[in-house]
Amino acid sequence: MSEISLVHEHVAASSTERYAVLNCGQLVTLAGPARARRGVLEMRELSIVENGGMLIANGLIQYVGFHADIVRHVDRQTKVIDARGCVVTPGFVDAHTHIAFAGTRANEFEQRLAGSTYQEIAAAGGGILSTVRHTRQATEETLLATVQHYAEWFLRTGTTTLEAKSGYGLSLESELKILRVLCALQETLALRVVPTLLAAHAVPPEFRENRTAYIALVTNEILPQVVAQHLASYCDVFCDEYAFTLDESRRILTAAKQAGLGLRIHAEQFSADGAVSMAAQLGATTADHLECTDARGIAAMRVAGVQPVLLPASVFCLGRSRYPNARAMIDTGLATILATDFNPGSSPTTSMPFVMTLACQQMKMLPSEALVSTTINAAYGLNMGNKIGSLEAGKAADFLIHEFRDYRELAYFAAVPNLPQVFIAGKLRNTAPQTTPTKSIAR
Ligand code: NIG
Ligand code: FE
């Protein structure tokens, strides 16, 4: 697979001006090796420059250093961005979302509160299939407008790159429609989008009695069309008792690999069924969810270099209590990723800071580990680590000026509307209020 071939380059080439970012109280660069950060030591090293600054030209970072050094390079052509002593970090990279859907499922939210389970609702024709009905009906224009609306929410809380899955179409026509919308999203909003084919999200009703025929449709028709039209970089499968079996998942992922796509997998959300070991055997880039993954799965990921994508907001929003064992994963040397899993059923949130809060509170990750997992590690999990995810010379100037003076406050303040100023390729993409935060009491 060519490096982020589907991420249109106009984003990076959008600015020809020169900028200096000054007065960064903590410039959290995340500079380090040219690979994902593995294990405790690497994931707690944020390479922070106190009183830092950056020079930016043509949408790329030219130089990272101390404020005092940067000031010397400011000439009359250089525009100054004043960080006012605040924390500056890379933009968030959300490596697992289902942003392309029509209709919400607030009704199921109530049903779950009354005692029904996610699986029971799905078995009764609700769940993913109810979103499929709405998404199939939506025109391409309506769906794009809906997706743009949600993309604005992502931008507001600092997400600058988004992996986005299809999976609410489940037919050739509807899956292609969704993937075209995801490609168009990038054109309209200048958010970086990495599209993933998830035709194996559920078996559509018209194939309920003939699953084999649906697998054949996915492998023989949908997959080749998606590849021919360059509509996706990755293929994902929902491998679960209520979705696709291990054997079915293997068939689809093997075909996708042969067709040149990278692999991701929804694995072991509800049971430890061996999906993670299979992902390792197939050389998947990531294995996602992993609520039930045990030591064997963790060892398999480590040996094969699979990155775990943890989605604590979906555990929280389903009202469940079993979170993935992030501590064991990090302590064993894995390069964890945190993502929202934004979708209308199990995880209706677009907020990476909220995910970081949950990761710290519920999975005992440190704020540093959570920040690495939402930036540089997520970038490598999308094969984009050489372009985004850290603030280093040569990388895209995708960064956030937060309303904090201490990076830990990103996870510490819980679900408050702290809106960063969001820059993508050096350009301000939103107009967050510029207020001056108080100093934290102790470092
Ligand atoms: O990642 N687990 C499968 N897919 C989504 C849920 C999709 C839905 O409920 O609509 C997830 O949680
Ligand atoms: Fe998901």
Side-chain angles (χ1 to χ4, degrees):
M1 185 183 47
S2 65
E3 168 88 0
I4 56 160
S5 53
L6 291 161
V7 176
H8 307 285
E9 290 301 325
H10 83 270
V11 171
S14 59
S15 170
T16 51
E17 287 161 323
R18 194 171 131 100
Y19 295 94
V21 188
L22 300 176
N23 286 316
C24 307
Q26 289 185 332
L27 181 59
V28 185
T29 70
L30 291 155
R35 55 165 175 75
R37 314 295 187 252
R38 303 186 283 242
V40 172
L41 285 182
E42 289 186 4
M43 289 189 62
R44 293 183 184 177
E45 175 54 64
L46 301 182
S47 300
I48 295 175
V49 182
E50 304 275 347
N51 301 316
M54 295 190 287
L55 282 176
I56 293 165
N58 299 320
L60 298 177
I61 299 168
Q62 272 193 320
Y63 181 75
V64 178
F66 292 112
H67 165 93
D69 296 332
I70 307 287
V71 166
R72 279 197 280 277
H73 289 86
V74 176
D75 55 25
R76 289 172 63 182
Q77 272 76 50
T78 310
K79 295 189 174 165
V80 169
I81 299 167
D82 185 358
R84 310 172 326 278
C86 293
V87 172
V88 175
T89 68
F92 295 124
V93 178
D94 192 339
H96 183 135
T97 82
H98 306 252
I99 191 179
F101 60 86
T104 65
R105 304 221 298 268
N107 58 332
E108 293 181 9
F109 176 53
E110 274 193 339
Q111 287 170 13
R112 285 202 311 275
L113 297 177
S116 302
T117 66
Y118 181 67
Q119 292 97 323
E120 283 164 2
I121 293 168
I128 294 172
L129 292 183
S130 99
T131 302
V132 168
R133 287 192 289 276
H134 288 97
T135 310
R136 281 180 173 180
Q137 277 163 20
T139 64
E140 203 156 328
E141 292 70 33
T142 315
L143 190 59
L144 178 58
T146 308
V147 168
Q148 269 182 270
H149 175 72
Y150 292 131
E152 286 287 350
W153 291 4
F154 278 99
L155 263 181
R156 266 183 231 169
T157 44
T159 299
T160 50
T161 298
L162 198 70
E163 185 265 7
K165 302 174 197 298
S166 67
Y168 293 116
L170 312 185
S171 68
L172 174 63
E173 181 201 354
S174 304
E175 287 291 300
L176 293 181
K177 173 181 77 179
I178 292 169
L179 290 170
R180 281 194 303 270
V181 163
L182 294 174
C183 293
L185 170 65
Q186 161 133 308
E187 304 284 346
T188 55
L189 246 169
L191 187 92
R192 297 178 203 273
V193 179
V194 180
T196 293
L197 172 67
L198 177 58
H201 196 193
V203 177
E206 61 275 21
F207 285 92
R208 189 171 295 143
E209 305 309 325
N210 194 355
R211 301 171 66 89
T212 316
Y214 186 62
I215 314 285
L217 176 73
V218 173
T219 53
N220 301 342
E221 292 186 47
I222 301 181
L223 185 59
Q225 288 272 357
V226 166
V227 171
Q229 296 180 41
H230 304 287
L231 289 174
S233 306
Y234 288 94
C235 179
D236 193 342
V237 171
F238 184 12
C239 183
D240 188 84
E241 200 185 328
Y242 300 89
F244 293 86
T245 65
L246 270 180
D247 185 54
E248 291 167 342
S249 302
R250 185 182 289 108
R251 272 188 274 158
I252 293 164
L253 291 175
T254 304
K257 188 175 178 178
Q258 279 163 3
L261 296 186
L263 306 184
R264 324 181 79 78
I265 181 168
H266 281 68
E268 302 187 351
Q269 182 179 9
F270 300 112
S271 61
D273 55 8
V276 170
S277 298
M278 180 183 70
Q281 278 165 16
L282 291 173
T285 305
T286 65
D288 304 37
H289 273 292
L290 315 179
E291 283 83 336
C292 298
T293 299
D294 56 18
R296 210 149 50 134
I298 292 175
M301 284 190 282
R302 193 168 54 76
V303 172
V306 177
Q307 282 189 263
V309 179
L310 310 180
L311 310 164
S314 66
V315 183
F316 178 82
C317 293
L318 287 177
R320 296 167 72 91
S321 53
R322 182 163 183 174
Y323 286 82
N325 195 345
R327 264 297 26 110
M329 293 179 196
I330 296 172
D331 296 346
T332 314
L334 291 183
T336 60
I337 294 170
L338 287 167
T340 59
D341 194 18
F342 177 59
N343 74 72
S346 64
S347 195
T349 181
T350 54
S351 170
M352 291 292 261
F354 175 56
V355 167
M356 290 173 67
T357 300
L358 288 176
C360 295
Q361 293 285 6
Q362 303 295 329
M363 306 197 295
K364 307 297 169 229
M365 288 173 70
L366 293 192
S368 52
E369 294 167 335
L371 188 53
V372 165
S373 300
T374 51
T375 54
I376 187 69
N377 276 9
Y380 277 105
L382 293 175
N383 196 23
M384 292 173 77
N386 64 348
K387 296 207 172 174
I388 57 168
S390 62
L391 302 176
E392 296 178 84
K395 285 200 175 182
D398 292 9
F399 64 97
L400 312 174
I401 303 178
H402 298 279
E403 286 186 74
F404 315 115
R405 288 178 187 270
D406 181 329
Y407 77 86
R408 294 172 300 189
E409 290 171 359
L410 255 171
Y412 157 84
F413 282 117
V416 290
N418 287 296
L419 304 181
Q421 285 179 273
V422 181
F423 295 81
I424 300 179
K427 274 182 84 171
L428 183 63
R429 302 290 172 176
N430 67 350
T431 47
Q434 297 191 22
T435 51
T436 307
T438 54
K439 281 196 168 138
S440 64
I441 294 165
R443 286 269 158 84

